Amino acid sequence: MKILIANFKMNMTPSQSKDYLINFLSRYESGKVDLTLCMPYTSLYIEKFLCVNRGVKVGAQNIADEEDGHNTGEISGKMLKDSGVEYVIVGHNERRKKFKEDGKSINKKIKIALKNRLGVVLCVGESLIERNTLKTYEVLKEQLKSALKGLYENELEKIIVAYEPIWAVGTGQTPQPKEIEDAVKEIRKVISDDFSEISSKNICVVYGGSVDSKNIRQFKNCKDLDGFLVGQACLEPSELLKIIAYM
Ligand code: PGA
């Protein structure tokens, strides 16, 4: 089954999320995709109650890189788990940039997520300058190596890698399907070198960056691609349902 992760970013109040979910779930047929909705923290509890037994997983957009204690404004793995969260996004480029999250912190976040039995959606991707100077693969390798440092091979089962070229996120621009395939191949190669051939085949890799119902058919048959991460396009229930229908 293809994976679909919806990242609501900093959109939707709890009441708006409730309305959205009632509308979406009344038209959603479970079983077609493996769907995770990553709503803001303040909507997680509502999502947990509305989505139970509906074939929709609750996701979060971030996790602290420490267990608990003196971390004003942060959210712990334990809190996410108790809110019904199954997957958490780590290393999104908006957080890497704005909150200066580096490889070390991302690695700690992943370990804490796994310790709390949460799955991880690890975002990696190059900037436009890196792309133009042919550094894409170097960047992917560096980001993956630092994020996955010290993990046991069996823990990769709980990780989904999201290839998200920074220049494509929220811009309406997308790579060519072949470029996505090449990046996915590179991601799998790094996993093969650092872990094993088997893990490189088994790890789930999705694409994110300006995916919508108009362009998804272009990408859905990309080789070795397990699904998608959508941002802007998930904010309208009808648009998200169309994307699911085309997957
Ligand atoms: P977008 O966002 O689909 O709006 O480009 C993707 C993301 O959240 O990474």
Side-chain angles (χ1 to χ4, degrees), residues 7 9 92 94 164 168-171 208-211 229-233:
N7 177 13
K9 311 196 183 191
H92 194 283
E94 287 158 13
E164 294 219 305
V169 174
T171 60
S210 298
V211 173
L229 191 162
V230 296
Q232 184 63 34

Side-chain angles (χ1 to χ4, degrees), residues 12 45 53 61 77 98-99 109 135 162-164 173 192 222 228:
M12 299 223 183
Y45 222 54
N53 297 328
Q61 301 171 23
K98 186 153 189 188
F99 301 99
K109 283 170 187 253
K135 293 211 175 95
Y163 171 54
E164 294 219 305
Q173 287 177 289
S192 171
C222 278
F228 301 94

Side-chain angles (χ1 to χ4, degrees), residues 1-20:
M1 207 189 300
K2 291 266 185 198
I3 297 167
L4 183 61
I5 300 148
N7 177 13
F8 287 70
K9 311 196 183 191
M10 201 172 71
N11 292 295
M12 299 223 183
T13 63
S15 335
Q16 287 170 330
S17 301
K18 183 173 153 231
D19 292 347
Y20 178 105

Side-chain angles (χ1 to χ4, degrees), residues 64-227:
D65 65 7
E66 288 187 54
E67 294 274 16
D68 42 32
H70 308 278
N71 286 293
T72 306
E74 287 293 288
I75 188 136
S76 74
K78 226 184 275 171
M79 292 168 189
L80 294 178
K81 189 73 193 174
D82 196 39
S83 304
V85 170
E86 288 185 63
Y87 271 91
V88 58
I89 298 174
V90 171
H92 194 283
N93 80 77
E94 287 158 13
R95 293 203 59 89
R96 286 185 195 255
K97 191 167 164 219
K98 186 153 189 188
F99 301 99
K100 314 238 173 326
E101 289 184 4
D102 58 11
K104 217 170 163 185
S105 159
I106 288 166
N107 180 249
K108 277 160 82 183
K109 283 170 187 253
I110 293 177
K111 287 180 177 158
I112 288 175
L114 295 173
K115 196 170 163 193
N116 285 283
R117 289 171 288 115
L118 295 166
V120 171
V121 181
L122 167 64
C123 300
V124 293
E126 80 287 359
S127 67
L128 191 58
I129 298 176
E130 288 160 346
R131 176 181 200 235
N132 291 342
T133 51
L134 308 178
K135 293 211 175 95
T136 298
Y137 298 164
E138 200 181 304
V139 170
L140 292 179
K141 189 171 170 179
E142 196 279 314
Q143 289 178 347
L144 285 165
K145 276 186 172 288
S146 56
L148 303 178
K149 198 171 169 188
L151 257 63
Y152 294 106
E153 190 172 339
N154 65 349
E155 292 178 312
L156 296 183
E157 283 167 21
K158 295 283 281 175
I159 306 229
I160 296 171
V161 178
Y163 171 54
E164 294 219 305
I166 299 172
W167 53 272
V169 174
T171 60
Q173 287 177 289
T174 54
Q176 295 298 315
K178 173 78 171 77
E179 289 176 285
I180 296 177
E181 287 182 350
D182 289 346
V184 170
K185 197 169 161 194
E186 188 60 26
I187 289 167
R188 294 191 187 279
K189 184 177 177 301
V190 176
I191 303 294
S192 171
D193 292 347
D194 284 7
F195 294 91
S196 72
E197 180 86 32
I198 288 269
S199 296
S200 86
K201 285 206 175 87
N202 290 345
I203 195 159
C204 292
V205 184
V206 300
Y207 166 75
S210 298
V211 173
D212 60 25
S213 65
K214 289 185 198 72
N215 61 25
I216 187 132
R217 278 170 286 189
Q218 240 180 282
F219 306 125
K220 70 173 200 177
N221 294 322
C222 278
K223 192 168 181 275
D224 295 331
L225 187 69
D226 299 297

